[in-house]
Amino acid sequence: MEIAKDILKSQIEEATKGKQSAYKFLLDSYWNQVFGFLLKRVNNEYEAEEIAIETFSKAFDKIALYDQKYSFNTWLITISKNLQVDRYRKKKNTPLNRTTDLSEDLLKKIADGSMSAEDQLIKEQNLAELLRFIKMLKPHYQEVINLFYFQEQSYKEISETIGEPLSNVKVRLLRARKLLAEIITSNNK
């Protein structure tokens, strides 16, 4: 999917200002490219998804450093490739050692947003039906939805609960909301 340069530029500028809808636009627009690239490299859907989440997390943290003379999707693919290579090296050297970066700068970048369309759709659904739809998600998406909506944990609390960096939690929750909204929409036709 080719995005007009002026639209992309404005969305990147909005993301630089911390606007949640811009992050969502960029995630939705480039998720399939990044995930597909990683899936071919690692041949493992779960690992590709984890690295894709890290990719968007890192990209959103560093979006102010993006140089617009280069293609945005190339920038994302480069980040994902570097993360995958780093992960492979760590796994090769210390397979049981799992580290996360919880630096203050990393934790502050992605702003908590106001209620999105997905949030509104989720809240309006019948609880029993909603739970049935949530069970259609992958377990790691079910977990963040459960912690955020039903246990009413903050992003920081979820980060501590699942042992993931805060920015990864935010990206995973964005992705989980999108997938859940798609499931709800397709089942209500």
Side-chain angles (χ1 to χ4, degrees):
M1 173 175 122
E2 189 65 32
I3 300 170
K5 287 184 181 186
D6 56 330
I7 293 172
L8 179 59
K9 183 178 179 182
S10 90
Q11 291 297 323
I12 291 170
E13 287 171 4
E14 293 295 312
T16 303
K17 296 174 188 172
K19 191 165 183 185
Q20 192 72 19
S21 62
Y23 290 130
K24 182 184 177 312
F25 174 84
L26 295 170
L27 179 71
D28 291 349
S29 299
Y30 291 99
W31 175 267
N32 288 340
Q33 289 177 351
V34 172
F35 177 73
F37 170 80
L38 288 165
L39 188 58
K40 288 177 187 174
R41 285 184 67 97
V42 299
N43 234 4
N44 177 312
E45 187 175 331
Y46 177 77
E47 189 172 358
E49 201 162 43
E50 288 297 306
I51 299 169
I53 288 169
E54 287 180 46
T55 298
F56 283 96
S57 172
K58 188 169 190 163
F60 293 162
D61 288 343
K62 306 288 185 191
I63 197 141
L65 301 176
Y66 168 66
D67 184 347
Q68 294 199 14
K69 67 181 174 186
Y70 300 106
S71 169
F72 189 72
N73 65 331
T74 302
W75 186 64
L76 288 172
I77 295 295
T78 301
I79 292 170
S80 68
K81 183 179 84 174
N82 291 339
L83 287 170
Q84 186 268 321
V85 168
D86 288 347
R87 193 178 260 227
Y88 174 76
R89 285 182 186 147
K90 284 179 186 174
K91 195 184 294 185
K92 185 176 173 185
N93 293 332
T94 56
L96 298 178
N97 186 14
R98 182 174 178 205
T99 60
T100 57
D101 181 5
L102 293 175
S103 68
E104 285 301 310
D105 289 339
L106 181 66
L107 297 176
K108 293 178 184 174
K109 288 292 183 181
I110 302 176
D112 289 347
S114 58
M115 177 110 25
S116 68
E118 288 90 355
D119 289 336
Q120 193 61 39
L121 188 61
I122 289 167
K123 287 193 177 221
E124 291 173 359
Q125 293 299 312
N126 176 300
L127 184 59
E129 186 178 30
L130 180 60
L131 292 173
R132 183 173 57 87
F133 292 143
I134 290 171
K135 288 182 182 180
M136 294 178 183
L137 294 170
K138 292 181 181 175
H140 57 280
Y141 290 136
Q142 289 179 28
E143 181 179 32
V144 293
I145 291 284
N146 176 41
L147 292 172
F148 189 76
Y149 289 103
F150 297 106
Q151 296 184 27
E152 297 182 352
Q153 289 188 5
S154 67
Y155 288 125
K156 186 175 184 186
E157 291 169 329
I158 295 170
S159 171
E160 292 167 0
T161 300
I162 66 174
E164 289 282 337
L166 183 63
S167 53
N168 284 13
V169 169
K170 290 178 180 182
V171 171
R172 184 171 294 163
L173 192 56
L174 271 175
R175 182 76 180 142
R177 287 176 185 148
K178 178 183 183 339
L179 294 173
L180 185 56
E182 288 173 359
I183 290 170
I184 291 168
T185 302
S186 70
N187 280 286
N188 284 334
K189 287 183 178 178

